Amino acid sequence: MTAIRRLAGLGLALVVCAGLLTATAAPAAAQQAAPYTAYGVGLRAGAMIGANIGGRSCGPAVAVTATGTWLMYIAVSSPCSPRAGDVVSFTVDGQAAEQTVTWSEGGAPANAAAGIALTVAAPKPTVTTAAAPAAGGFTGSISPSGVSLASFTGTTAQLDTAGAAVKATSISATLGGKVLTFVVGAPSFVNTEFNTAFASGLQGTLVIVKT
């Protein structure tokens, strides 16, 4: 009976020891998980390479060496807390790179020789649209005496006002292959054909101004 009790006690002790070993080994194994090894070649020396997951930094940026190479390890313990399948994004001097990788324990770039070829998209050119001339105004120089070629945007009433301001005698424009003339300051019946042709106004229309 005593021998049986001793064997039972020994068995219990072994079970407890095994449990303690398992409990202490699990955290140790997690801490020792292999990091993802990220690297690349061919970048400008001194450029700073950063990594993040969902905007969370994976640690301090690393500098590109004099030979154009860079290397960083993204471990489970990194601030971005990577997990298998997480998408890792990179930055070059603070600008988002076009390439990403999928984090995995002990992972590395698919192209072992070149690593991750980081590139930053060129900024889109800013398209500046020239402002349209103010309604009721000429675009171009009007000679104080003679004939000038300009453009006009506005209604025929505004054309009459603008023409008077530059002391124009008449203003002509072509529509459908026909030259139509607007006489500045004349009664409306004189300019009926012109006013009808441009009932919706002139939109940057080329005009000949006689002063």
Side-chain angles (χ1 to χ4, degrees):
M1 188 68 175
T2 301
I4 293 175
R5 288 179 178 176
R6 287 179 180 175
L7 288 174
L10 180 59
L12 179 60
L14 289 173
V15 170
V16 171
C17 289
L20 290 174
L21 288 173
T22 302
T24 56
Q31 292 175 0
Q32 295 173 6
Y36 184 99
T37 303
Y39 60 92
V41 300
L43 290 184
R44 176 180 56 81
M48 300 302 293
I49 309 301
N52 69 84
I53 294 177
R56 302 187 310 276
S57 172
C58 292
V62 298
V64 176
T65 67
T67 57
T69 63
W70 61 275
L71 169 67
M72 69 167 61
Y73 297 103
I74 306 174
V76 172
S77 58
S78 297
C80 57
S81 303
R83 295 293 181 269
D86 284 350
V87 176
V88 181
S89 301
F90 297 91
T91 58
V92 180
D93 286 335
Q95 298 185 55
E98 298 176 293
Q99 293 71 29
T100 60
V101 297
T102 300
W103 192 93
S104 62
E105 182 180 338
N111 187 332
I116 307 167
L118 296 180
T119 56
V120 175
K124 294 182 179 179
T126 301
V127 178
T128 302
T129 303
F138 291 104
T139 298
S141 300
I142 306 298
S143 172
S145 177
V147 177
S148 305
L149 182 64
S151 64
F152 185 85
T153 297
T155 64
T156 53
Q158 291 172 324
L159 179 65
D160 191 45
T161 301
V166 297
K167 296 181 172 56
T169 301
S170 65
I171 301 166
S172 301
T174 301
L175 184 66
K178 183 178 181 180
V179 177
L180 303 174
T181 299
F182 181 93
V183 179
V184 178
S188 59
F189 74 88
V190 176
N191 296 318
T192 297
E193 186 177 18
F194 190 100
N195 291 339
T196 301
F198 294 99
S200 58
L202 294 81
Q203 303 296 327
T205 305
L206 288 177
V207 294
I208 299 171
V209 183
K210 173 67 173 66
T211 51

